[in-house]
Amino acid sequence: LFPYTTLFRSETFKGIYGMPIATYMKTYRIKQAAVLLRQTQDTVADIAHQVGYINQSKFATAFREIMKISPTEYRSQYEANPKTILHD
Protein backbone atom coordinates (compact mmCIF):
# COMPACT_ATOMS: atom_id res chain seq x y z
CA LEU A 1 0.00 0.00 0.00
CA PHE A 2 2.72 2.48 0.98
CA PRO A 3 5.98 2.45 -0.95
CA TYR A 4 8.03 3.26 2.17
CA THR A 5 10.10 0.64 3.89
CA THR A 6 9.76 -0.19 7.56
CA LEU A 7 13.25 1.22 8.10
CA PHE A 8 12.24 4.51 6.48
CA ARG A 9 9.14 4.79 8.68
CA SER A 10 11.15 3.92 11.79
CA GLU A 11 13.84 6.48 11.01
CA THR A 12 11.21 9.11 10.23
CA PHE A 13 9.45 8.43 13.53
CA LYS A 14 12.75 8.63 15.40
CA GLY A 15 13.57 11.90 13.65
CA ILE A 16 10.26 13.43 14.71
CA TYR A 17 9.94 12.05 18.25
CA GLY A 18 13.60 11.61 19.12
CA MET A 19 13.27 7.93 20.00
CA PRO A 20 12.40 4.62 18.35
CA ILE A 21 8.74 3.61 18.13
CA ALA A 22 9.15 0.85 20.76
CA THR A 23 10.71 3.25 23.27
CA TYR A 24 7.98 5.82 22.65
CA MET A 25 5.25 3.22 23.17
CA LYS A 26 6.88 1.87 26.33
CA THR A 27 7.18 5.37 27.77
CA TYR A 28 3.59 6.19 26.81
CA ARG A 29 2.27 3.03 28.47
CA ILE A 30 4.23 3.67 31.68
CA LYS A 31 3.06 7.28 31.87
CA GLN A 32 -0.53 6.05 31.42
CA ALA A 33 0.11 3.60 34.26
CA ALA A 34 1.36 6.48 36.44
CA VAL A 35 -1.92 8.32 35.83
CA LEU A 36 -3.88 5.20 36.81
CA LEU A 37 -1.77 4.78 39.94
CA ARG A 38 -2.64 8.34 40.94
CA GLN A 39 -6.30 8.33 39.96
CA THR A 40 -7.51 4.83 40.85
CA GLN A 41 -7.19 2.28 43.60
CA ASP A 42 -6.72 -0.54 41.07
CA THR A 43 -4.01 -3.01 41.99
CA VAL A 44 -0.62 -2.74 40.35
CA ALA A 45 -1.34 -6.04 38.59
CA ASP A 46 -4.63 -4.67 37.20
CA ILE A 47 -2.93 -1.50 36.02
CA ALA A 48 -0.15 -3.53 34.41
CA HIS A 49 -2.79 -5.43 32.43
CA GLN A 50 -4.67 -2.23 31.55
CA VAL A 51 -1.57 -0.78 29.89
CA GLY A 52 -0.73 -4.01 28.08
CA TYR A 53 1.64 -5.93 30.32
CA ILE A 54 0.81 -9.57 30.97
CA ASN A 55 3.69 -10.05 33.39
CA GLN A 56 3.58 -7.81 36.47
CA SER A 57 7.32 -8.26 37.05
CA LYS A 58 8.15 -6.98 33.55
CA PHE A 59 5.77 -4.08 34.12
CA ALA A 60 7.47 -3.18 37.41
CA THR A 61 10.89 -3.35 35.76
CA ALA A 62 9.75 -1.11 32.89
CA PHE A 63 8.07 1.30 35.31
CA ARG A 64 11.22 1.61 37.40
CA GLU A 65 13.33 2.10 34.25
CA ILE A 66 11.16 4.99 33.04
CA MET A 67 10.01 6.56 36.32
CA LYS A 68 13.08 5.75 38.48
CA ILE A 69 10.82 4.37 41.22
CA SER A 70 8.67 1.25 41.62
CA PRO A 71 4.91 1.47 40.94
CA THR A 72 4.11 0.83 44.62
CA GLU A 73 6.57 3.49 45.81
CA TYR A 74 5.19 5.90 43.20
CA ARG A 75 1.65 5.47 44.49
CA SER A 76 2.74 5.77 48.13
CA GLN A 77 4.72 8.94 47.49
CA TYR A 78 1.86 10.47 45.51
CA GLU A 79 -0.66 9.62 48.24
CA ALA A 80 1.65 11.24 50.81
CA ASN A 81 1.85 14.43 48.73
CA PRO A 82 -0.92 14.56 46.09
CA LYS A 83 0.11 17.98 44.76
CA THR A 84 3.36 16.47 43.50
CA ILE A 85 3.42 14.64 40.20
CA LEU A 86 6.46 12.41 40.44
CA HIS A 87 8.81 12.03 37.48
CA ASP A 88 6.26 12.72 34.71
Side-chain angles (χ1 to χ4, degrees):
L1 191 71
F2 294 101
Y4 304 109
T5 65
T6 301
L7 178 62
F8 177 80
R9 285 189 298 260
S10 294
E11 291 301 318
T12 301
F13 186 95
K14 188 175 180 179
I16 293 169
Y17 294 99
M19 63 184 80
I21 294 169
T23 303
Y24 177 89
M25 290 306 300
K26 181 180 190 179
T27 301
Y28 177 83
R29 290 163 65 192
I30 295 303
K31 290 194 179 225
Q32 287 301 114
V35 169
L36 293 170
L37 286 165
R38 292 192 308 266
Q39 295 181 352
T40 74
Q41 290 303 311
D42 294 349
T43 66
V44 172
D46 287 341
I47 290 172
H49 287 157
Q50 289 175 51
V51 297
Y53 282 85
I54 296 168
N55 182 309
Q56 185 180 342
S57 177
K58 288 186 179 184
F59 167 73
T61 298
F63 194 95
R64 184 180 291 278
E65 179 185 322
I66 302 292
M67 304 299 283
K68 310 301 184 211
I69 190 171
S70 77
T72 304
E73 292 169 328
Y74 182 89
R75 177 177 269 164
S76 295
Q77 286 190 17
Y78 179 76
E79 287 172 349
N81 189 0
K83 293 185 180 191
T84 301
I85 296 179
L86 307 168
H87 309 287
D88 278 350

